[in-house]
């Protein structure tokens, strides 16, 4: 089993920045592609960003438009999502995810989710 625990969420002003962290249990962290999804009220869960096993490949949703950066530190079993220039529509519950294959395919493990609220 791999447990994913998100942290770093909260309330931020429009245009501000926030960094989410996702800490994973186990020694096999580097064997997983990692990613972030989000879900706003009344909307389906949507893909935000993904990063490959060693951090060499990154993928982002179009709506990020260069505002977000995903990174990972395998020595710390942690993946990060740096969010800049936040908009009100970024308000959602953000979920960390791990996959042995593509993040765009089957997800093996999900975090519990963490609230991000962007206000004016």
């Amino acid at each position: 089993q791999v447990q994913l625990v998100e942290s770093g969420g909260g309330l931020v002003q429009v245009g501000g920045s926030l960094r989410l962290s996702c800490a994973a249990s186990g020694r096999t962290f580097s064997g997983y592609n990692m990613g972030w999804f989000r879900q706003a009220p009344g909307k389906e869960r949507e893909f935000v960003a993904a990063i490959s096993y060693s951090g060499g490949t990154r993928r982002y949703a179009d709506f990020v438009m260069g505002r977000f950066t995903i990174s990972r530190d395998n020595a710390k079993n942690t993946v990060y999502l740096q969010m800049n220039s936040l908009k009100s529509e970024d308000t959602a519950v953000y979920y960390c995810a791990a996959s042995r294959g593509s993040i765009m395919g089957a997800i093996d493990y999900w975090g519990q989710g963490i609230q991000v609220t962007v206000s004016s």
Side-chain angles (χ1 to χ4, degrees), residues 11-18 67 83-91 117-120:
L11 177 66
V12 66
Q13 297 279 340
V14 170
S17 298
L18 202 63
R67 299 181 297 124
M83 304 183 292
N84 299 324
S85 301
L86 284 162
K87 307 173 181 179
S88 60
E89 51 263 43
D90 293 319
T91 295
T117 302
V118 185
S119 67
S120 60

XYZ file of all heavy atoms in Angstrom, residues 11-18 67 83-91 117-120:
159
model
N -6.411 29.230 2.063
C -7.018 30.408 1.452
C -5.945 31.350 0.933
O -4.970 31.643 1.635
C -7.897 31.130 2.474
C -8.561 32.426 2.036
C -9.581 32.154 0.936
C -9.216 33.101 3.229
N -6.129 31.830 -0.288
C -5.184 32.758 -0.888
C -5.946 33.776 -1.732
O -7.030 33.481 -2.247
C -4.138 31.998 -1.736
C -4.793 31.338 -2.943
C -3.004 32.912 -2.154
N -5.392 34.962 -1.867
C -6.013 36.013 -2.671
C -5.807 35.757 -4.163
O -4.843 35.104 -4.577
C -5.429 37.376 -2.317
C -5.673 37.830 -0.889
C -7.053 38.419 -0.695
O -7.702 38.822 -1.664
N -7.506 38.484 0.537
N -6.717 36.278 -4.976
C -6.546 36.230 -6.422
C -5.200 36.849 -6.793
O -4.837 37.916 -6.297
C -7.685 36.966 -7.145
C -7.379 37.133 -8.621
C -8.996 36.234 -6.948
N -4.458 36.165 -7.657
C -3.142 36.624 -8.050
C -2.022 36.143 -7.158
O -0.843 36.340 -7.484
N -2.364 35.508 -6.061
C -1.375 35.018 -5.129
C -0.828 33.660 -5.508
O -1.145 33.104 -6.566
N -0.009 33.110 -4.620
C 0.661 31.839 -4.864
C 0.448 30.887 -3.704
O 0.212 31.301 -2.565
C 2.164 32.044 -5.072
O 2.433 32.844 -6.201
N 0.561 29.608 -4.013
C 0.410 28.570 -3.013
C 1.190 27.357 -3.484
O 1.246 27.091 -4.695
C -1.067 28.218 -2.844
C -1.532 27.562 -1.544
C -1.302 28.495 -0.363
C -3.007 27.203 -1.654
N 1.171 28.782 -15.300
C 1.059 29.288 -13.934
C 1.498 28.283 -12.876
O 1.948 28.673 -11.801
C -0.381 29.716 -13.654
C -0.892 30.831 -14.553
C -2.322 31.217 -14.190
N -3.256 30.103 -14.384
C -4.059 29.617 -13.434
N -4.041 30.147 -12.216
N -4.872 28.605 -13.702
N 1.716 26.804 -7.398
C 0.634 27.481 -8.096
C 0.822 28.984 -7.964
O 0.822 29.522 -6.857
C -0.723 27.057 -7.537
C -0.954 25.551 -7.579
S -2.604 25.074 -7.003
C -2.452 25.496 -5.256
N 0.975 29.655 -9.088
C 1.141 31.100 -9.126
C -0.003 31.744 -9.893
O -0.715 31.085 -10.647
C 2.475 31.472 -9.781
C 3.677 30.937 -9.046
O 3.688 30.874 -7.817
N 4.712 30.567 -9.798
N -0.159 33.043 -9.714
C -1.201 33.808 -10.413
C -2.556 33.129 -10.298
O -3.274 32.944 -11.276
C -0.819 33.994 -11.883
O 0.419 34.667 -12.012
N -2.915 32.784 -9.101
C -4.137 32.020 -8.874
C -5.382 32.823 -9.215
O -5.440 34.037 -8.991
C -4.192 31.543 -7.431
C -3.264 30.362 -7.128
C -3.043 30.222 -5.638
C -3.853 29.081 -7.706
N -6.365 32.127 -9.753
C -7.644 32.704 -10.136
C -8.747 32.098 -9.279
O -8.582 31.025 -8.705
C -7.938 32.427 -11.617
C -6.842 32.847 -12.571
C -7.155 32.384 -13.988
C -6.056 32.778 -14.948
N -6.345 32.317 -16.339
N -9.878 32.782 -9.234
C -10.990 32.272 -8.448
C -11.436 30.897 -8.943
O -11.857 30.050 -8.138
C -12.167 33.247 -8.468
O -12.634 33.461 -9.785
N -11.338 30.656 -10.237
C -11.750 29.374 -10.787
C -10.795 28.232 -10.449
O -11.071 27.073 -10.759
C -11.936 29.461 -12.311
C -10.765 30.073 -13.041
C -10.954 31.553 -13.326
O -11.423 32.278 -12.431
O -10.635 31.985 -14.449
N -9.667 28.556 -9.814
C -8.774 27.518 -9.314
C -9.270 26.929 -7.999
O -8.703 25.948 -7.514
C -7.358 28.063 -9.125
C -6.688 28.428 -10.438
O -6.846 27.671 -11.421
O -6.003 29.471 -10.478
N -10.288 27.533 -7.418
C -10.857 27.029 -6.181
C -11.397 25.616 -6.389
O -12.227 25.383 -7.265
C -11.974 27.946 -5.679
O -11.425 29.221 -5.338
C -12.660 27.351 -4.456
N -8.774 27.529 -1.754
C -9.779 28.556 -1.975
C -9.096 29.856 -2.376
O -8.241 30.355 -1.646
C -10.626 28.784 -0.716
O -11.254 27.557 -0.332
C -11.700 29.833 -0.974
N -9.481 30.386 -3.524
C -8.929 31.629 -4.037
C -10.022 32.682 -3.974
O -11.076 32.537 -4.591
C -8.412 31.474 -5.471
C -7.740 32.761 -5.930
C -7.443 30.302 -5.563
N -9.782 33.739 -3.236
C -10.792 34.767 -3.022
C -10.257 36.137 -3.397
O -9.046 36.364 -3.476
C -11.246 34.775 -1.561
O -10.200 35.184 -0.698
N -11.180 37.061 -3.622
C -10.827 38.443 -3.935
C -10.945 39.334 -2.717
O -10.576 40.490 -2.734
C -11.725 38.970 -5.052
O -13.087 38.925 -4.670
